[in-house]
Amino acid sequence: MTMAEPILIIHGVANHDAAPFIQQVADLQSAVGPSKRLIPVYWGNLGGQSTNLADCLPKLTDGTWKV
């Protein structure tokens, strides 16, 4: 069994309500199927800040995702 490819889905800056965003990602996951694993990333009003952003995202190193 192959592992589903993880894909981060980051909300838009105008989206200030988490529930509809989470539902949209769930709907998109149903449409995409199990070959991709969609991960909702909701930062609320902090989404527009880039300070230390790299510390929050996984990195692909030597073919492995690391946090």
Side-chain angles (χ1 to χ4, degrees):
M1 173 188 261
T2 60
M3 194 166 150
E5 179 182 3
I7 300 174
L8 298 176
I9 307 296
I10 302 172
H11 76 88
V13 294
N15 187 340
H16 298 288
D17 191 358
F21 168 70
I22 300 297
Q23 184 60 54
Q24 287 177 330
V25 174
D27 293 344
L28 184 58
Q29 179 68 72
S30 293
V32 170
S35 65
K36 311 288 187 211
R37 181 171 55 100
L38 304 183
I39 303 167
V41 179
Y42 183 79
W43 287 325
N45 292 334
L46 300 177
Q49 295 185 13
S50 61
T51 304
N52 300 320
L53 182 61
D55 294 338
C56 302
L57 300 174
K59 295 178 175 102
L60 183 62
T61 306
D62 298 326
T64 304
W65 287 101
K66 299 177 181 170
V67 183

